[in-house]
Structures are given as structure tokens and as C-alpha cells.
Amino acid sequence: MTQSAPATTAEPPLAKASGRPGGPRADVRNLTLLGVLAVLVAVGGITRPDQFLDTANLQLVLTQASVIGVVTVGMTFVITSGGIDLSVGAIVALASVWATTVATQEYGFAGILFTAVVVGLGCGLVNGLLIAYGGVVPFIATLAMLASARGLALQITDGRTQIVTVQSVLDLGVPDSYLLGIPPLVLVFAAVTVVGWLLLNRTTFGRRTVAVGGNAEAARLAGIDVRRQRLHLYLLSGLCCGIAAFLLIVLAGSGQNTNGNLYELDAIAAAIIGGTLLSGGRGTIAGSVLGVLVFTTITNIFALNNLQSDVQQIAKGAIIVAAVLVQRRTARDADGA
């Protein structure tokens, strides 16, 4: 009889986490981001109506958003669990150059895709083992992976661009491959987004991720294997990086050691303005995707208007700070309620 009490008291953390992450506030944030996105589209349409609203340009915006968007989906899971991954950009670079070596390209489309995914998973596995079972702080572990992956990518390429010669891979980036006007890369991004949303909101894995981010010790007492959960989360992040690397190969038609530069910052920023708590315990895939679209649209508008990149970075920084301040205000209101 005394054994049943802990099981009963241990259930609330999971029950609480099983609800829709963010609840009504998530709807408000998403509507706000949709409003911001609508304003940006209006600005682009007013300043460059002949270029911004052109079908080819809108396809380009969505295609560029797809690469960083896939990375952001994985980053959202990691941040929701209370972790961080500073190595995503470097992993994308390493996976892209490893997958475009002459030896790999001899195996064609399947060889490139398989290599990119496996390299991403391998890097995620190393991160996960160091953090979950090695006790290394996520910031330090992923920072070390960032330096190592960048160094290895440079060593593989020797600073040269590796051109893709596999025609079936290159064909995915041409208009003839578009399905009803939608680029294949966007379809992949949409599929990853849907799977990520279902995984976070409709599965035990998602509930455990939220529980670990909210209170790791309470999650452990509830019967969750916190270390294994964290390992799986960094594997998921690595998988997303591998997929993004393949998309980038299709988009650029090459592999370079500079690929994925600052992806980690863009992914973290998109997740934060989307409503994912940097401290963990709350995450939203829909919000993260909207954050990616906002940043990508800003970049496109600045490029079309020939505005310098430093102004663009200032604008992004201001948006990030505003999002964090809103998060803090929301948290204080919740605590006071």
C-alpha cells in the first residue's frame, strides 16, 4: 500500500506537461507573429512591389527559410528541455562537405543523403553522450563540437568549394521539380515541421521533453530517464542538422566549410521570438517556424532594398531583445496570477 503513494504524486508533472505547450498565450504569440509577418509582407510589397511579390522571390524566401527552419525545429526541442546547442551551424557545414566529397558522390543521390544524415546523427550522438552521461554543461559540450566540426570541415575541403555533380540532387533545386509551384525543399521543411509538432504536442516523448525542461529533478522522480531523454534530444537535433545539410547542398549545389555560418544564433533567435522559453519547460514548433519566416522575410526585404547587413543585424537584435522582454513580462504576470 505504501508503494502506491509515490506513483500518484509523481504523475502531476507529466499530466501538466501533456497539455498544449504555452496554452492560450501561445495562440496570442502566434497571432502576433502572423501580424508582424503580414506587416513585413506589406512593407516588402510597398518598397519593391515588382520584385518582392514576384512568385520566384516568394519561392526563394520559403526555400531559404526551409534550411534554417529544419535546424530550428531540432533546436526548439533542445531548448524546451532546458539545453542549448551551439554546434548546429558547424554540424551542417561538416555534414555538407562530408556528403559532397568525390568518394561520397560516387554513390549518387542516396550516398549524399545518407552521409549527411549519418554525420548529423553522429555529431548529435557525441553531444548527447557528453551532456547526458558525461556531465558536461551543454554550452561547453556544444561549443567544443562547434570548434571541432568547423575544423574538420576545413580539413576535408582544404578551404575549397566542393561542387556537386550528381544531377538527381541538382534537379531538386530547379523549377521543373516544383510540385504545384512549391519547391521540394519547402515540402521537406513542411514535413519536418508537422512531424516535430506532433512529436512535441501529441506524444509521450514531447511531454517528457517539457517535463525535463520544467524541472529535471521532478521529472526524474516521476520515472523519466532524464539522461536518456537528453541523449535522444541531441540526436534529434543532429538529425535535423543532417537533413538541413542535404537541403543546403541542393540549394547551393556545393559543399563548403563556411556553410551554416551563425545558424545557431538564427535558430535560437527564431525559437525565442516564437515563444520557446530559453530556460526550458515550454516550446512551440509553430511559433519557431513563424520566427524563421519573420527573420527570412526581413533578410529578403533588406537585400531587395540594398540595405547594408549591419542594419539588418541591428533589426534582428532589437526583435530578439523585445521578444525576451515580453517573455519576462509574461512570466512575471503568470507568477503574480
Side-chain angles (χ1 to χ4, degrees), residues 30 49 54 76 79 90 94-95 107 115 120 140 162 165 178 187-188 205 229 234 261 284 294 297 330:
N30 291 344
D54 183 71
T76 300
I79 296 178
L94 178 59
Y107 293 94
T115 302
I140 299 300
Q162 298 177 164
T165 59
Y178 293 2
L187 295 175
V188 173
F205 181 86
Q229 184 70 15
Y234 282 95
N261 188 36
T284 162
V294 166
T297 304
T330 302

Side-chain angles (χ1 to χ4, degrees), residues 103-124:
T104 302
Q105 292 195 53
E106 290 180 356
Y107 293 94
F109 184 101
I112 294 176
L113 176 59
F114 177 79
T115 302
V117 170
V118 168
V119 171
L121 283 172
C123 293

Side-chain angles (χ1 to χ4, degrees), residues 90 142 185 199 215 254 310:
T142 57
L185 275 66
L199 194 61
N215 190 323
S254 63
D310 54 351

Side-chain angles (χ1 to χ4, degrees), residues 115-234:
T115 302
V117 170
V118 168
V119 171
L121 283 172
C123 293
L125 176 63
V126 173
N127 280 337
L129 289 174
L130 287 175
I131 294 166
Y133 294 95
V136 182
V137 177
F139 181 90
I140 299 300
T142 57
L143 184 62
M145 176 58 73
L146 183 156
S148 302
R150 283 288 178 194
L152 185 54
L154 179 60
Q155 186 177 52
I156 291 175
T157 62
D158 197 23
R160 299 186 181 92
T161 299
Q162 298 177 164
I163 304 299
V164 176
T165 59
V166 180
Q167 193 59 43
S168 58
V169 173
L170 298 175
D171 286 343
L172 291 177
V174 300
D176 290 341
S177 67
Y178 293 2
L179 181 62
L180 300 177
I182 304 176
L185 275 66
V186 178
L187 295 175
V188 173
F189 175 36
V192 171
T193 298
V194 171
V195 172
W197 186 89
L198 291 173
L199 194 61
L200 183 60
N201 295 276
R202 294 291 184 266
T203 67
T204 302
F205 181 86
R207 292 193 291 273
R208 289 173 177 171
T209 298
V210 175
V212 169
N215 190 323
E217 181 60 19
R220 186 187 67 81
L221 293 175
I224 298 175
D225 189 333
V226 175
R227 293 190 300 178
R228 184 172 62 184
Q229 184 70 15
R230 284 174 174 161
L231 173 61
H232 290 166
L233 287 166
Y234 282 95

Side-chain angles (χ1 to χ4, degrees), residues 240-292:
C240 289
C241 289
I243 296 173
F246 180 77
L247 298 184
L248 190 57
I249 291 170
V250 173
L251 184 62
S254 63
Q256 305 177 54
N257 65 284
T258 56
N259 282 344
N261 188 36
L262 297 182
Y263 273 19
E264 55 278 356
L265 299 184
D266 288 341
I268 293 171
I272 290 174
I273 71 167
T276 298
L277 280 181
L278 192 57
S279 57
R282 187 182 73 202
T284 162
I285 298 296
S288 295
V289 170
L290 289 173
V292 170

Side-chain angles (χ1 to χ4, degrees), residues 319-330:
I319 292 174
I320 295 170
V321 171
V324 172
L325 290 176
V326 170
Q327 281 192 359
R328 293 186 62 184
R329 176 64 181 269
T330 302

